[in-house]
Amino acid sequence: MAVHGSSDILIDELYETTNRLRQFVETRLREKGASVARLRALRMLARAPEPLRMRDLGEMAGIAARTTTTIVDSLERDGLVERVRHPTDRRAFLLRLTEDGLRCHREAEETDRLALAEATATLDAADREQLRALLARIRENTG
């Protein structure tokens, strides 16, 4: 049962479902020494066509600069990310994944995929399509 945090039980249930999915995936990732926040950073760095500035990573992830710094410092400490000098701005550094970072990213993506597949296993193709269509309608209305 959803905690009533809004005036609409549907919204409360969407929020609770999202939180439970995140916790579900977080538990699976933690078993492998990762987290949702670290996976998001690894994912963005892996998908970027070139190394990113920390500010760009934070903006892409929608997180505060302080949080970005904490995550990147952790990834760097674990040998998953390295800071390299920006080619044209002496004051700036770029972030790129190390070989261990690429491997960790692949493993975390697989853990994420398996966890989400498990969480949604009772939804058939029609259920998934219907849910996606309903969510798209909400997104369209909130624009």
Side-chain angles (χ1 to χ4, degrees), residues 62-99:
I63 55 177
R66 186 178 205 166
T67 303
T68 305
T69 300
T70 300
I71 292 168
V72 169
D73 286 349
S74 166
L75 293 170
E76 185 179 36
R77 183 183 60 244
D78 293 345
L80 305 177
V81 168
E82 61 185 352
R83 297 173 204 244
V84 294
R85 287 261 179 216
H86 192 286
T88 59
D89 183 350
R90 291 184 0 199
R91 298 166 298 159
F93 286 89
L94 298 172
L95 305 171
R96 73 173 169 216
L97 294 179
T98 63
E99 287 301 316

mmCIF file of all heavy atoms in Angstrom, residues 62-99:
data_model
loop_
_atom_site.group_PDB
_atom_site.id
_atom_site.type_symbol
_atom_site.label_atom_id
_atom_site.label_comp_id
_atom_site.label_asym_id
_atom_site.label_seq_id
_atom_site.Cartn_x
_atom_site.Cartn_y
_atom_site.Cartn_z
ATOM 1 N N GLY A 62 21.821 14.769 -13.921
ATOM 2 C CA GLY A 62 20.840 15.538 -13.164
ATOM 3 C C GLY A 62 21.149 15.555 -11.676
ATOM 4 O O GLY A 62 20.229 15.533 -10.848
ATOM 5 N N ILE A 63 22.437 15.606 -11.342
ATOM 6 C CA ILE A 63 22.823 15.614 -9.930
ATOM 7 C C ILE A 63 23.698 16.824 -9.632
ATOM 8 O O ILE A 63 24.307 17.409 -10.529
ATOM 9 C CB ILE A 63 23.558 14.309 -9.530
ATOM 10 C CG1 ILE A 63 24.762 14.045 -10.423
ATOM 11 C CG2 ILE A 63 22.604 13.127 -9.557
ATOM 12 C CD1 ILE A 63 25.571 12.814 -10.056
ATOM 13 N N ALA A 64 23.742 17.187 -8.363
ATOM 14 C CA ALA A 64 24.500 18.354 -7.929
ATOM 15 C C ALA A 64 25.994 18.130 -8.110
ATOM 16 O O ALA A 64 26.477 16.990 -8.086
ATOM 17 C CB ALA A 64 24.193 18.648 -6.459
ATOM 18 N N ALA A 65 26.720 19.225 -8.250
ATOM 19 C CA ALA A 65 28.165 19.159 -8.439
ATOM 20 C C ALA A 65 28.840 18.412 -7.292
ATOM 21 O O ALA A 65 29.752 17.606 -7.516
ATOM 22 C CB ALA A 65 28.744 20.572 -8.568
ATOM 23 N N ARG A 66 28.401 18.648 -6.079
ATOM 24 C CA ARG A 66 28.997 17.984 -4.912
ATOM 25 C C ARG A 66 28.810 16.469 -4.987
ATOM 26 O O ARG A 66 29.718 15.701 -4.687
ATOM 27 C CB ARG A 66 28.360 18.551 -3.654
ATOM 28 C CG ARG A 66 28.961 18.062 -2.400
ATOM 29 C CD ARG A 66 28.290 18.733 -1.212
ATOM 30 N NE ARG A 66 29.188 18.730 -0.094
ATOM 31 C CZ ARG A 66 29.022 19.438 0.980
ATOM 32 N NH1 ARG A 66 27.988 20.245 1.062
ATOM 33 N NH2 ARG A 66 29.851 19.361 1.972
ATOM 34 N N THR A 67 27.616 16.035 -5.395
ATOM 35 C CA THR A 67 27.334 14.606 -5.534
ATOM 36 C C THR A 67 28.171 14.005 -6.648
ATOM 37 O O THR A 67 28.720 12.909 -6.507
ATOM 38 C CB THR A 67 25.831 14.384 -5.798
ATOM 39 O OG1 THR A 67 25.090 14.976 -4.742
ATOM 40 C CG2 THR A 67 25.499 12.913 -5.913
ATOM 41 N N THR A 68 28.294 14.737 -7.745
ATOM 42 C CA THR A 68 29.114 14.268 -8.864
ATOM 43 C C THR A 68 30.554 14.073 -8.407
ATOM 44 O O THR A 68 31.174 13.041 -8.712
ATOM 45 C CB THR A 68 29.069 15.276 -10.035
ATOM 46 O OG1 THR A 68 27.713 15.509 -10.406
ATOM 47 C CG2 THR A 68 29.851 14.768 -11.237
ATOM 48 N N THR A 69 31.076 15.033 -7.669
ATOM 49 C CA THR A 69 32.447 14.936 -7.171
ATOM 50 C C THR A 69 32.617 13.710 -6.282
ATOM 51 O O THR A 69 33.598 12.965 -6.415
ATOM 52 C CB THR A 69 32.841 16.216 -6.409
ATOM 53 O OG1 THR A 69 32.736 17.324 -7.302
ATOM 54 C CG2 THR A 69 34.251 16.121 -5.856
ATOM 55 N N THR A 70 31.660 13.472 -5.399
ATOM 56 C CA THR A 70 31.729 12.317 -4.497
ATOM 57 C C THR A 70 31.755 11.010 -5.291
ATOM 58 O O THR A 70 32.569 10.117 -5.019
ATOM 59 C CB THR A 70 30.538 12.320 -3.514
ATOM 60 O OG1 THR A 70 30.590 13.520 -2.749
ATOM 61 C CG2 THR A 70 30.564 11.118 -2.601
ATOM 62 N N ILE A 71 30.870 10.904 -6.279
ATOM 63 C CA ILE A 71 30.802 9.681 -7.091
ATOM 64 C C ILE A 71 32.094 9.499 -7.891
ATOM 65 O O ILE A 71 32.674 8.414 -7.913
ATOM 66 C CB ILE A 71 29.571 9.709 -8.018
ATOM 67 C CG1 ILE A 71 28.284 9.612 -7.194
ATOM 68 C CG2 ILE A 71 29.636 8.581 -9.049
ATOM 69 C CD1 ILE A 71 27.018 9.916 -7.979
ATOM 70 N N VAL A 72 32.552 10.565 -8.543
ATOM 71 C CA VAL A 72 33.765 10.466 -9.364
ATOM 72 C C VAL A 72 34.976 10.156 -8.492
ATOM 73 O O VAL A 72 35.817 9.324 -8.874
ATOM 74 C CB VAL A 72 33.969 11.747 -10.196
ATOM 75 C CG1 VAL A 72 35.348 11.768 -10.849
ATOM 76 C CG2 VAL A 72 32.878 11.857 -11.263
ATOM 77 N N ASP A 73 35.080 10.788 -7.329
ATOM 78 C CA ASP A 73 36.202 10.493 -6.431
ATOM 79 C C ASP A 73 36.209 9.009 -6.052
ATOM 80 O O ASP A 73 37.267 8.370 -6.021
ATOM 81 C CB ASP A 73 36.133 11.347 -5.169
ATOM 82 C CG ASP A 73 36.521 12.798 -5.410
ATOM 83 O OD1 ASP A 73 37.045 13.125 -6.496
ATOM 84 O OD2 ASP A 73 36.295 13.619 -4.483
ATOM 85 N N SER A 74 35.030 8.466 -5.789
ATOM 86 C CA SER A 74 34.909 7.045 -5.440
ATOM 87 C C SER A 74 35.323 6.157 -6.616
ATOM 88 O O SER A 74 36.066 5.188 -6.445
ATOM 89 C CB SER A 74 33.467 6.746 -5.028
ATOM 90 O OG SER A 74 33.212 5.378 -4.986
ATOM 91 N N LEU A 75 34.853 6.496 -7.803
ATOM 92 C CA LEU A 75 35.208 5.713 -8.995
ATOM 93 C C LEU A 75 36.703 5.801 -9.288
ATOM 94 O O LEU A 75 37.332 4.815 -9.661
ATOM 95 C CB LEU A 75 34.389 6.189 -10.200
ATOM 96 C CG LEU A 75 32.893 5.926 -10.156
ATOM 97 C CD1 LEU A 75 32.188 6.659 -11.295
ATOM 98 C CD2 LEU A 75 32.595 4.441 -10.205
ATOM 99 N N GLU A 76 37.266 6.981 -9.090
ATOM 100 C CA GLU A 76 38.699 7.158 -9.328
ATOM 101 C C GLU A 76 39.500 6.367 -8.289
ATOM 102 O O GLU A 76 40.477 5.684 -8.637
ATOM 103 C CB GLU A 76 39.061 8.639 -9.268
ATOM 104 C CG GLU A 76 40.508 8.910 -9.617
ATOM 105 C CD GLU A 76 40.851 10.389 -9.580
ATOM 106 O OE1 GLU A 76 40.319 11.117 -8.719
ATOM 107 O OE2 GLU A 76 41.677 10.796 -10.419
ATOM 108 N N ARG A 77 39.095 6.436 -7.036
ATOM 109 C CA ARG A 77 39.782 5.702 -5.969
ATOM 110 C C ARG A 77 39.793 4.199 -6.260
ATOM 111 O O ARG A 77 40.761 3.508 -5.983
ATOM 112 C CB ARG A 77 39.097 5.985 -4.629
ATOM 113 C CG ARG A 77 39.763 5.327 -3.438
ATOM 114 C CD ARG A 77 39.004 5.566 -2.137
ATOM 115 N NE ARG A 77 37.662 5.031 -2.213
ATOM 116 C CZ ARG A 77 36.531 5.748 -2.153
ATOM 117 N NH1 ARG A 77 36.580 7.051 -2.010
ATOM 118 N NH2 ARG A 77 35.355 5.170 -2.246
ATOM 119 N N ASP A 78 38.692 3.708 -6.874
ATOM 120 C CA ASP A 78 38.584 2.281 -7.186
ATOM 121 C C ASP A 78 39.221 1.916 -8.527
ATOM 122 O O ASP A 78 39.125 0.771 -8.972
ATOM 123 C CB ASP A 78 37.117 1.854 -7.171
ATOM 124 C CG ASP A 78 36.519 1.914 -5.780
ATOM 125 O OD1 ASP A 78 37.276 2.006 -4.786
ATOM 126 O OD2 ASP A 78 35.274 1.874 -5.669
ATOM 127 N N GLY A 79 39.843 2.891 -9.178
ATOM 128 C CA GLY A 79 40.550 2.619 -10.429
ATOM 129 C C GLY A 79 39.636 2.435 -11.631
ATOM 130 O O GLY A 79 40.047 1.853 -12.633
ATOM 131 N N LEU A 80 38.402 2.957 -11.546
ATOM 132 C CA LEU A 80 37.442 2.779 -12.635
ATOM 133 C C LEU A 80 37.381 3.974 -13.578
ATOM 134 O O LEU A 80 36.956 3.847 -14.726
ATOM 135 C CB LEU A 80 36.050 2.495 -12.057
ATOM 136 C CG LEU A 80 35.973 1.317 -11.080
ATOM 137 C CD1 LEU A 80 34.574 1.177 -10.532
ATOM 138 C CD2 LEU A 80 36.438 0.042 -11.746
ATOM 139 N N VAL A 81 37.798 5.130 -13.072
ATOM 140 C CA VAL A 81 37.781 6.372 -13.839
ATOM 141 C C VAL A 81 39.130 7.051 -13.650
ATOM 142 O O VAL A 81 39.731 6.963 -12.576
ATOM 143 C CB VAL A 81 36.648 7.308 -13.340
ATOM 144 C CG1 VAL A 81 36.777 8.703 -13.913
ATOM 145 C CG2 VAL A 81 35.289 6.731 -13.688
ATOM 146 N N GLU A 82 39.571 7.719 -14.701
ATOM 147 C CA GLU A 82 40.779 8.531 -14.561
ATOM 148 C C GLU A 82 40.499 9.935 -15.065
ATOM 149 O O GLU A 82 39.659 10.137 -15.946
ATOM 150 C CB GLU A 82 41.959 7.908 -15.300
ATOM 151 C CG GLU A 82 41.774 7.754 -16.779
ATOM 152 C CD GLU A 82 42.935 7.025 -17.439
ATOM 153 O OE1 GLU A 82 43.954 6.773 -16.775
ATOM 154 O OE2 GLU A 82 42.805 6.720 -18.629
ATOM 155 N N ARG A 83 41.181 10.873 -14.457
ATOM 156 C CA ARG A 83 41.080 12.275 -14.869
ATOM 157 C C ARG A 83 42.266 12.563 -15.780
ATOM 158 O O ARG A 83 43.400 12.248 -15.440
ATOM 159 C CB ARG A 83 41.121 13.203 -13.659
ATOM 160 C CG ARG A 83 39.974 13.021 -12.707
ATOM 161 C CD ARG A 83 40.195 13.851 -11.453
ATOM 162 N NE ARG A 83 39.448 13.303 -10.337
ATOM 163 C CZ ARG A 83 38.467 13.927 -9.706
ATOM 164 N NH1 ARG A 83 38.108 15.135 -10.081
ATOM 165 N NH2 ARG A 83 37.850 13.355 -8.703
ATOM 166 N N VAL A 84 41.971 13.128 -16.928
ATOM 167 C CA VAL A 84 43.029 13.493 -17.883
ATOM 168 C C VAL A 84 42.904 14.982 -18.191
ATOM 169 O O VAL A 84 41.806 15.541 -18.149
ATOM 170 C CB VAL A 84 42.942 12.649 -19.180
ATOM 171 C CG1 VAL A 84 43.225 11.189 -18.892
ATOM 172 C CG2 VAL A 84 41.594 12.803 -19.855
ATOM 173 N N ARG A 85 44.015 15.586 -18.480
ATOM 174 C CA ARG A 85 44.013 17.021 -18.790
ATOM 175 C C ARG A 85 43.169 17.322 -20.026
ATOM 176 O O ARG A 85 43.214 16.588 -21.009
ATOM 177 C CB ARG A 85 45.436 17.513 -19.052
ATOM 178 C CG ARG A 85 46.263 17.599 -17.827
ATOM 179 C CD ARG A 85 46.290 19.022 -17.348
ATOM 180 N NE ARG A 85 47.075 19.079 -16.129
ATOM 181 C CZ ARG A 85 46.766 19.874 -15.138
ATOM 182 N NH1 ARG A 85 45.735 20.671 -15.223
ATOM 183 N NH2 ARG A 85 47.496 19.896 -14.059
ATOM 184 N N HIS A 86 42.424 18.393 -19.946
ATOM 185 C CA HIS A 86 41.660 18.881 -21.095
ATOM 186 C C HIS A 86 42.674 19.385 -22.125
ATOM 187 O O HIS A 86 43.637 20.070 -21.771
ATOM 188 C CB HIS A 86 40.730 20.009 -20.646
ATOM 189 C CG HIS A 86 39.710 20.374 -21.659
ATOM 190 N ND1 HIS A 86 40.026 21.087 -22.806
ATOM 191 C CD2 HIS A 86 38.386 20.131 -21.716
ATOM 192 C CE1 HIS A 86 38.925 21.267 -23.512
ATOM 193 N NE2 HIS A 86 37.921 20.698 -22.879
ATOM 194 N N PRO A 87 42.495 19.054 -23.387
ATOM 195 C CA PRO A 87 43.500 19.428 -24.399
ATOM 196 C C PRO A 87 43.627 20.933 -24.647
ATOM 197 O O PRO A 87 44.689 21.398 -25.059
ATOM 198 C CB PRO A 87 43.035 18.704 -25.661
ATOM 199 C CG PRO A 87 41.604 18.413 -25.449
ATOM 200 C CD PRO A 87 41.407 18.279 -23.963
ATOM 201 N N THR A 88 42.562 21.705 -24.368
ATOM 202 C CA THR A 88 42.628 23.143 -24.665
ATOM 203 C C THR A 88 42.418 24.035 -23.442
ATOM 204 O O THR A 88 42.618 25.233 -23.533
ATOM 205 C CB THR A 88 41.575 23.515 -25.735
ATOM 206 O OG1 THR A 88 40.274 23.175 -25.250
ATOM 207 C CG2 THR A 88 41.853 22.794 -27.043
ATOM 208 N N ASP A 89 42.017 23.483 -22.325
ATOM 209 C CA ASP A 89 41.773 24.270 -21.109
ATOM 210 C C ASP A 89 42.673 23.721 -19.999
ATOM 211 O O ASP A 89 42.381 22.676 -19.421
ATOM 212 C CB ASP A 89 40.295 24.180 -20.718
ATOM 213 C CG ASP A 89 39.959 25.029 -19.510
ATOM 214 O OD1 ASP A 89 40.878 25.557 -18.840
ATOM 215 O OD2 ASP A 89 38.757 25.164 -19.207
ATOM 216 N N ARG A 90 43.744 24.437 -19.703
ATOM 217 C CA ARG A 90 44.725 23.960 -18.722
ATOM 218 C C ARG A 90 44.125 23.749 -17.335
ATOM 219 O O ARG A 90 44.647 22.983 -16.540
ATOM 220 C CB ARG A 90 45.875 24.966 -18.592
ATOM 221 C CG ARG A 90 46.749 25.046 -19.778
ATOM 222 C CD ARG A 90 47.918 25.969 -19.577
ATOM 223 N NE ARG A 90 47.943 26.602 -18.253
ATOM 224 C CZ ARG A 90 48.630 27.677 -17.961
ATOM 225 N NH1 ARG A 90 49.332 28.275 -18.880
ATOM 226 N NH2 ARG A 90 48.624 28.177 -16.757
ATOM 227 N N ARG A 91 43.040 24.437 -17.036
ATOM 228 C CA ARG A 91 42.444 24.329 -15.702
ATOM 229 C C ARG A 91 41.499 23.140 -15.577
ATOM 230 O O ARG A 91 41.130 22.760 -14.478
ATOM 231 C CB ARG A 91 41.661 25.610 -15.373
ATOM 232 C CG ARG A 91 42.520 26.849 -15.342
ATOM 233 C CD ARG A 91 41.668 28.089 -15.362
ATOM 234 N NE ARG A 91 40.899 28.096 -16.610
ATOM 235 C CZ ARG A 91 39.793 28.782 -16.813
ATOM 236 N NH1 ARG A 91 39.298 29.517 -15.875
ATOM 237 N NH2 ARG A 91 39.173 28.732 -17.965
ATOM 238 N N ALA A 92 41.098 22.570 -16.682
ATOM 239 C CA ALA A 92 40.045 21.547 -16.673
ATOM 240 C C ALA A 92 40.610 20.139 -16.843
ATOM 241 O O ALA A 92 41.663 19.934 -17.453
ATOM 242 C CB ALA A 92 39.043 21.829 -17.781
ATOM 243 N N PHE A 93 39.859 19.206 -16.300
ATOM 244 C CA PHE A 93 40.152 17.790 -16.470
ATOM 245 C C PHE A 93 38.961 17.114 -17.134
ATOM 246 O O PHE A 93 37.826 17.572 -16.993
ATOM 247 C CB PHE A 93 40.422 17.117 -15.121
ATOM 248 C CG PHE A 93 41.746 17.454 -14.544
ATOM 249 C CD1 PHE A 93 41.891 18.560 -13.722
ATOM 250 C CD2 PHE A 93 42.860 16.677 -14.816
ATOM 251 C CE1 PHE A 93 43.125 18.883 -13.189
ATOM 252 C CE2 PHE A 93 44.099 16.992 -14.287
ATOM 253 C CZ PHE A 93 44.230 18.105 -13.461
ATOM 254 N N LEU A 94 39.239 16.045 -17.833
ATOM 255 C CA LEU A 94 38.200 15.223 -18.436
ATOM 256 C C LEU A 94 38.194 13.877 -17.734
ATOM 257 O O LEU A 94 39.213 13.428 -17.209
ATOM 258 C CB LEU A 94 38.467 15.037 -19.931
ATOM 259 C CG LEU A 94 38.477 16.313 -20.763
ATOM 260 C CD1 LEU A 94 38.954 16.010 -22.183
ATOM 261 C CD2 LEU A 94 37.116 16.967 -20.775
ATOM 262 N N LEU A 95 37.043 13.219 -17.760
ATOM 263 C CA LEU A 95 36.887 11.911 -17.129
ATOM 264 C C LEU A 95 36.735 10.853 -18.204
ATOM 265 O O LEU A 95 35.984 11.032 -19.160
ATOM 266 C CB LEU A 95 35.628 11.908 -16.258
ATOM 267 C CG LEU A 95 35.534 12.997 -15.198
ATOM 268 C CD1 LEU A 95 34.144 12.997 -14.589
ATOM 269 C CD2 LEU A 95 36.604 12.804 -14.149
ATOM 270 N N ARG A 96 37.454 9.767 -18.011
ATOM 271 C CA ARG A 96 37.275 8.638 -18.914
ATOM 272 C C ARG A 96 37.413 7.347 -18.111
ATOM 273 O O ARG A 96 38.103 7.289 -17.096
ATOM 274 C CB ARG A 96 38.237 8.683 -20.092
ATOM 275 C CG ARG A 96 39.645 8.355 -19.771
ATOM 276 C CD ARG A 96 40.482 8.265 -21.048
ATOM 277 N NE ARG A 96 41.874 8.201 -20.693
ATOM 278 C CZ ARG A 96 42.849 8.754 -21.366
ATOM 279 N NH1 ARG A 96 42.578 9.412 -22.481
ATOM 280 N NH2 ARG A 96 44.090 8.648 -20.964
ATOM 281 N N LEU A 97 36.742 6.321 -18.619
ATOM 282 C CA LEU A 97 36.792 5.023 -17.956
ATOM 283 C C LEU A 97 38.129 4.348 -18.217
ATOM 284 O O LEU A 97 38.682 4.435 -19.312
ATOM 285 C CB LEU A 97 35.667 4.119 -18.478
ATOM 286 C CG LEU A 97 34.240 4.539 -18.153
ATOM 287 C CD1 LEU A 97 33.256 3.555 -18.768
ATOM 288 C CD2 LEU A 97 34.024 4.646 -16.661
ATOM 289 N N THR A 98 38.617 3.649 -17.211
ATOM 290 C CA THR A 98 39.791 2.801 -17.367
ATOM 291 C C THR A 98 39.312 1.451 -17.914
ATOM 292 O O THR A 98 38.107 1.215 -18.048
ATOM 293 C CB THR A 98 40.484 2.587 -16.013
ATOM 294 O OG1 THR A 98 39.571 1.883 -15.156
ATOM 295 C CG2 THR A 98 40.903 3.904 -15.385
ATOM 296 N N GLU A 99 40.249 0.564 -18.191
ATOM 297 C CA GLU A 99 39.859 -0.790 -18.619
ATOM 298 C C GLU A 99 39.024 -1.467 -17.530
ATOM 299 O O GLU A 99 38.033 -2.129 -17.831
ATOM 300 C CB GLU A 99 41.095 -1.627 -18.955
ATOM 301 C CG GLU A 99 41.764 -1.240 -20.259
ATOM 302 C CD GLU A 99 40.825 -1.365 -21.457
ATOM 303 O OE1 GLU A 99 40.096 -2.384 -21.559
ATOM 304 O OE2 GLU A 99 40.807 -0.442 -22.287
#
